[in-house]
Amino acid sequence: MLLLPSAADGQGTAISRALTSASTLCQVEPVGRWFEAFVKRRNRNASASFQELEDKKELSEESEDEELQLEEFPMLKTLDPKDWKNQDHYAVLGLGHVRYKATQRQIKAAHKAMVLKHHPDKRKAAGEPIKEGDNDYFTCITKAYEMLSDPVKRRAFNSVDPTFDNSVPSKSEAKDNFFEVFSPVFERNSRWSNKKNVPKLGDMNSSFEDVDAFYSFWYNFDSWREFSYLDEEEKEKAECRDERRWIEKQNKATRAQRKKEEMNRIRTLVDNAYSCDPRIKKFKEEEKAKKEAEKKAKAEAKRKEQEAKEKQRQAELEAARLAKEKEEEEVRQQALLAKKEKDIQKKAIKKERQKLRNSCKTWNHFSDSEAERVKMMEEVEKLCDRLELASLQCLNETLTSSTKEAGKAALEKQIEEVNEQIRKEKEEAEARMRQASKNAEKSTGGGGNSSKNWSEDDLQLLIKAVNLFPAGTNSRWEVIANYMNIHSSSGVKRTAKDVISKAKSLQKLDPHQKDDINRKAFDKFKKEHGVVPQADNATPSERFEGPGTDFTPWTTEEQKLLEQALKTYPVNTPERWEKIAEAVPGRTKKDCMKRYKVTDF
């Protein structure tokens, strides 16, 4: 833009004609160095600004190369070319202070400088003695450049850099200064990572996400470090294919072992750091406190929930109690009302009964004979007991409002109805008793022989046989039936089933019936023998409590002791039953044997 001078006071500025012209497009052909830059940009498909950056980069690298100061290796002239594998190639080229950070341009410049200074021809011209062939130390410079100029060989040498510190700090070393100890170790080991942007160790204020990302990266560390430089055998020196394969196999196994050791070293480093990291301890404590807080909150919520449930339950119980009390009160009131009504009715009945008695007494019980009056009084009492209130009221009205003959007729009619009702009830009761008796006979008869087939002698004989052959006897009921068939005078043959059925029916008898049977047995004994045993010499009688029962029943505790003793003392135990009897207090050897026979163990 063209700037015009400002006008003086009282004057103006005017433009008489346009001072600018329209822009025009011109074809310009680059020449010289500009043409070279143009071709470069066209081949790279880059803009002019990108090319300017590239030029600046090259200029900066050139300036770095100019500023690069080589460090002279003092032991260079004493190196043995044959031992090139154990030499520091960076130090040979004077790049010991730069090492793996040196660029290819710097390596090339360092080699150029070393050649200009240590070339054999130059040293020979200066009068310095030169060794023949490859024995001169200049061969080491050539080998160093060969190793470092090739990216693959340089990576192999960098993997076994003799100046690299492979040590791993122990847990005790980083007890008080964790970050100062482990930060440089992770920094120098990060050079082996295939991934760029390796996370830093950080400090005490690092977040949990940063710390977690750091340890996740190192626990899954991807290392490019390899150990082919340390191969003991070179397969190029093999004389045949088989030897070359064998050398390659040996080298491969050795590299794998060294790679495994390297990964174990990295893992040990990460483990030691993780165990010593104060941030991990802090995070664990925070997590623990968080869990404790959550646990307490959960317990508090559960407590509140339980309190709410308990409160609701108490409210429900209180409501149920009130409802129950209300219901009980209603029932009590209804009972009081019913009692009042019953008392009123009872008083009314009592009044009507007294009225009936007075009415009959007024008419002298409708009879002149004393016996008939007594009988009529009994009938009147019967009416008082049987008739309801309405019937009594109706009868009393009839007696009050009618003549003596009409009242007597009404009274006799009512007496007949009551007597007829009593008679019918009596007949029904007798019928029920007969039916019950028949049912009892059917249930206790058994085996086709009814109870009337058992005479008093047979019953006494059965009782005697039951006492003679107690529980525990082999085939007890068959033996009792056989005994009865032999000694019975009735001639009826009894089976074991008949005997068991009758014994069960005798067990169901009440004590009065048992006493009656015993009394009849005693009377029969007196009749047959004619002598009553004296009380002084008589033995106490044994009351019959039913067949199949012991005089002293076995308790549950005694049964358990017997079962345990049977398990403790097997069949082959000497004096087995004596020991079993000792284990069951209050029981003899015979009692234990009998109980064993009748019980299914």
Side-chain angles (χ1 to χ4, degrees), residues 156-167:
F157 176 72
N158 286 339
S159 297
V160 295
D161 191 343
T163 62
F164 181 76
D165 185 5
N166 286 301
S167 63

Side-chain angles (χ1 to χ4, degrees), residues 243-294:
E243 185 179 357
R244 186 163 53 251
R245 287 180 178 176
W246 180 85
I247 292 174
E248 186 176 358
K249 183 178 179 181
Q250 292 295 113
N251 291 338
K252 188 175 181 180
T254 306
R255 293 175 194 172
Q257 180 63 28
R258 290 192 174 110
K259 183 71 174 181
K260 184 178 179 181
E261 293 174 357
E262 168 65 10
M263 296 312 297
N264 288 337
R265 185 186 69 84
I266 296 294
R267 183 59 181 254
T268 303
L269 170 64
V270 182
D271 287 341
N272 290 351
Y274 188 86
S275 61
C276 297
D277 197 335
R279 299 170 300 179
I280 299 298
K281 297 177 182 178
K282 183 183 73 171
F283 293 149
K284 286 182 178 180
E285 290 175 357
E286 291 175 354
E287 183 69 17
K288 185 178 180 181
K290 183 179 178 181
K291 288 183 178 179
E292 288 292 333
E294 291 177 354

Side-chain angles (χ1 to χ4, degrees), residues 17-157:
R17 60 186 180 86
L19 299 178
T20 58
S21 60
S23 60
T24 58
L25 183 65
C26 300
Q27 292 281 344
V28 178
E29 183 177 356
V31 295
R33 61 187 180 87
W34 290 278
F35 179 75
E36 292 178 357
F38 170 74
V39 172
K40 249 184 215 183
R41 290 197 304 271
R42 186 179 63 183
N43 292 338
R44 294 185 181 182
N45 195 20
S47 62
S49 59
F50 177 79
Q51 184 61 37
E52 291 175 0
L53 293 175
E54 287 290 317
D55 293 341
K56 289 181 180 179
K57 185 176 180 182
E58 289 180 2
L59 289 174
S60 64
E61 289 179 355
E62 289 177 0
S63 62
E64 288 178 2
D65 293 342
E66 292 175 358
E67 296 174 359
L68 178 64
Q69 298 293 331
L70 301 179
E71 291 183 353
E72 186 70 25
F73 186 43
M75 305 296 293
L76 177 62
K77 295 182 180 181
T78 62
L79 295 177
D80 183 5
K82 296 179 181 179
D83 193 23
W84 62 270
K85 211 165 190 178
N86 295 323
Q87 296 171 5
D88 186 354
H89 301 305
Y90 286 113
V92 169
L93 294 179
L95 298 175
H97 61 294
V98 184
R99 306 198 69 78
Y100 70 94
K101 295 180 181 178
T103 62
Q104 288 295 327
R105 187 183 295 273
Q106 290 174 338
I107 293 173
K108 187 175 181 181
H111 176 255
K112 182 177 180 181
M114 296 299 289
V115 169
L116 291 175
K117 186 175 181 180
H118 297 283
H119 195 276
D121 294 340
K122 202 165 188 177
R123 288 189 289 118
K124 187 176 181 180
E128 186 178 338
I130 306 299
K131 294 182 180 179
E132 296 180 0
D134 294 336
N135 295 325
D136 191 71
Y137 71 89
F138 185 77
T139 307
C140 296
I141 299 175
T142 305
K143 193 66 177 178
Y145 180 70
E146 179 187 346
M147 294 297 297
L148 299 181
S149 61
D150 186 347
V152 177
K153 293 181 179 180
R154 184 183 180 189
R155 169 170 280 204
F157 176 72

Side-chain angles (χ1 to χ4, degrees), residues 368-415:
D368 297 332
S369 172
E370 183 68 23
E372 289 180 358
R373 281 198 300 271
V374 172
K375 185 176 180 182
M376 182 58 70
M377 289 173 65
E378 293 177 356
E379 295 296 335
V380 169
E381 292 299 325
K382 190 183 295 183
L383 289 178
C384 291
D385 292 338
R386 301 283 296 185
L387 292 181
E388 299 291 336
L389 178 60
S391 300
L392 286 173
Q393 290 176 348
C394 181
L395 181 58
N396 286 330
E397 288 178 2
T398 302
L399 290 175
T400 305
S401 61
S402 62
T403 60
K404 181 178 181 181
E405 287 75 11
K408 182 179 180 181
L411 184 63
E412 289 178 350
K413 182 181 178 182
Q414 193 67 47
I415 290 172

Side-chain angles (χ1 to χ4, degrees), residues 321-351:
R321 185 185 65 80
L322 294 175
K324 186 177 180 181
E325 288 180 355
K326 183 178 179 181
E327 183 179 356
E328 290 177 351
E329 181 64 23
E330 291 177 355
V331 171
R332 190 175 65 82
Q333 294 295 335
Q334 291 177 0
L336 289 175
L337 292 175
K339 185 178 180 182
K340 288 180 180 180
E341 292 177 358
K342 188 175 180 181
D343 291 341
I344 293 171
Q345 188 177 12
K346 190 175 180 181
K347 289 179 180 179
I349 290 176
K350 185 177 181 181
K351 183 178 179 181

Side-chain angles (χ1 to χ4, degrees), residues 183-200:
S183 184
V185 178
F186 280 106
E187 185 70 26
R188 67 172 177 260
N189 279 278
S190 63
R191 63 184 283 191
W192 311 123
S193 175
N194 275 320
K195 299 177 183 178
K196 302 301 178 184
N197 301 323
V198 179
K200 302 294 182 181

